[in-house]
Amino acid sequence: MNSNPVRAPAPHESASGASVGQGPSQGARNLGDPDLDSFPLVPKGNKYEDFTVGQTMTHHWGRTLTQADNVSFSTATCAWLPMHLNTEYARSQGHRDMVLNPMLVLCTAVGLSVEDLSESGGPFLGIDDCVFLRPAYPGDTIVASSRVTEMRLSSSKPGVGIVTWHTTATNQDGETVVEFVRTNLVATRDRSSTTT
């Protein structure tokens, strides 16, 4: 038994252990650790004051869901339903292909809305009235839009408001696939704002 195992060289090393292509003649220098404090923070997302009741936002570009997305999601969440994993079973039940896991479709719709609705942070307070209106299939492109339905400043937590949106997700043919109501705490610009 060999007590000195042989280590394969890393991609940036030669077989002798020396760095490859990083000699002084190639201009390599040790820059040290980056000074992360010198990088400015760029605020993202909308604040409470950016929303108004009735306002509608169409969320960016959408997402085409594939069979691989569906199988990976269903496997990772232990959703072993043949409708989502077995094309022939889904066809025997009257579908043209395996059906995308509806929770994948819901998660995708929520994800599409984050940039406009909740990217600035704030606790997610839940989803209500979630209705799946038709199945989605591999290759369908999901797009989403949201309308502000309610908003109020928090009476117990200064500097935040509570905003509720109704989100509708459609496929590439404009057919509604899922709709739901979502609520989040959203920071205000004036961190001392509260109801009295």
Side-chain angles (χ1 to χ4, degrees), residues 48-53 148-153 162-164:
Y48 178 81
E49 294 85 354
D50 296 323
F51 298 108
T52 57
V53 173
V148 180
T149 60
E150 294 178 55
M151 53 188 295
R152 67 176 176 83
L153 290 171
I162 299 167
V163 183
T164 301

Side-chain angles (χ1 to χ4, degrees), residues 65-110:
L65 295 172
T66 66
Q67 184 175 4
D69 295 325
N70 186 56
V71 171
S72 296
F73 183 90
S74 295
T75 301
T77 59
C78 296
W80 306 115
L81 301 170
M83 191 73 73
H84 310 310
L85 298 170
N86 183 324
T87 300
E88 294 309 315
Y89 177 81
R91 286 180 181 151
S92 77
Q93 300 302 305
H95 295 279
R96 61 182 162 102
D97 200 345
M98 76 173 56
V99 177
L100 293 175
N101 186 319
M103 294 309 295
L104 170 61
V105 177
L106 175 62
C107 289
T108 300
V110 171

Side-chain angles (χ1 to χ4, degrees), residues 56 118 124 134 141 174:
T56 300
S118 58
F124 171 65
R134 66 179 31 83
T141 299

